[in-house]
Amino acid sequence: MAIYEILASSTSEIQGITCFIIQLFIAEAMFFFHLKKRKRFWLRLLVGGTACLLLGVTLPIIIGQYISGIRTFIVLVFMQLYMWFCFRRSFLDILFCIIGAFTVQNLGSNIQVLICIVTKTSFKMLSTEMVIGFTIVYIICYLTCAAKIKNFPNISQNRVRVLWVAIISLCVCWLLQSWLISEKLDMVMACRVPFVFCCILSLFMQFGLLEQSRLNEENLALEQLIKENAKQYELSKKTVEIINMKCHDLKHRILELEQAGNADHG
């Protein structure tokens, strides 16, 4: 089957992936807002974003004809390359932020489904429920998680454990979500609620460990500073003692000279 025939027969899937990628773009904007940008940033953002959207929509559909269940992975790869193309941070730092963005998008999607279930409305990619759900989730996640990124000039440096926790959390959410859809349980509240808590737990683990790592590093730096101050104090104390001894010896020498009549009193 020709490529255009595959794409022509997958209109609804194209709409779904496009909406998914746009939601990711917005989530990534929250995490990457504070990062240092590369030269000609706006040109890179426009060209890279267009390429990422086109490839992220078409390739998963084409490859999906032969291999199923890798749509999210393909989009993740393109998003990783796109953000690295636009921002001046290490590859692992960008991966950390990408994982956070994917988790936030997944949380927003689950909240949207729960709103549809509660209001007894049919699920649509573009709907009032989507706008409400994603707006609430994105604002809360930005204030509690994404805004902290500016405090970490090097996220992945000496934080391998934090990065691995983030990767494992994303894989768990991804696999469980795929299973939910394959079993046609995606519109059952009893299944969606645990996924909401799973996403929340994943974000708190990811950014909680990051914050704990930062605090540990600050404590180590403070301990080192205290040790250096203690050494400086001991050195100053010894210097003062030596000076006092010299002054004491000099005082006795002056007295000896005075008694011998060899020193001027003034």
Side-chain angles (χ1 to χ4, degrees), residues 28 30-36 38 79-81 83-85 87-102 146 148-160 162-164 166-167 206-207 210 213 217:
E28 285 165 3
M30 300 190 308
F31 285 91
F32 287 89
F33 176 75
H34 299 287
L35 301 191
K36 187 176 181 180
R38 294 186 183 274
M79 288 293 181
Q80 174 74 16
L81 295 175
M83 293 297 108
W84 180 79
F85 179 69
F87 294 90
R88 194 182 297 277
R89 289 294 286 265
S90 71
F91 195 80
L92 293 180
D93 281 3
I94 291 174
L95 178 60
F96 181 91
C97 294
I98 288 288
I99 291 172
F102 267 75
K148 296 180 180 180
I149 293 295
K150 61 183 178 182
N151 299 325
F152 301 95
N154 292 294
I155 299 170
S156 58
Q157 185 177 2
N158 301 325
R159 299 186 179 97
V160 178
V162 176
L163 188 61
W164 273 112
I167 293 173
Q206 182 178 353
F207 287 89
L210 185 64
S213 176
E217 291 171 3

Side-chain angles (χ1 to χ4, degrees), residues 45-62:
L45 191 71
L46 178 61
V47 174
T50 303
C52 183
L53 181 61
L54 291 176
L55 294 174
V57 170
T58 56
L59 280 185
I61 294 174
I62 296 171

Side-chain angles (χ1 to χ4, degrees), residues 19-43:
C19 189
F20 170 61
I21 292 176
I22 292 174
Q23 292 167 358
L24 280 175
F25 280 157
I26 299 173
E28 285 165 3
M30 300 190 308
F31 285 91
F32 287 89
F33 176 75
H34 299 287
L35 301 191
K36 187 176 181 180
K37 302 169 181 61
R38 294 186 183 274
K39 294 181 179 179
R40 300 184 181 88
F41 170 74
W42 293 108
L43 179 61

Side-chain angles (χ1 to χ4, degrees), residues 107-153:
L107 176 60
S109 178
N110 282 290
I111 293 295
Q112 178 190 356
V113 173
L114 286 179
I115 293 175
C116 290
I117 294 173
V118 171
T119 58
K120 296 180 180 180
T121 56
S122 59
F123 177 81
K124 296 178 182 179
M125 294 301 297
L126 294 174
S127 62
T128 304
E129 291 79 10
M130 186 206 75
V131 174
I132 295 173
F134 276 87
T135 300
I136 294 173
V137 169
Y138 281 16
I139 290 175
I140 293 175
C141 289
Y142 174 77
L143 296 175
T144 57
C145 299
K148 296 180 180 180
I149 293 295
K150 61 183 178 182
N151 299 325
F152 301 95

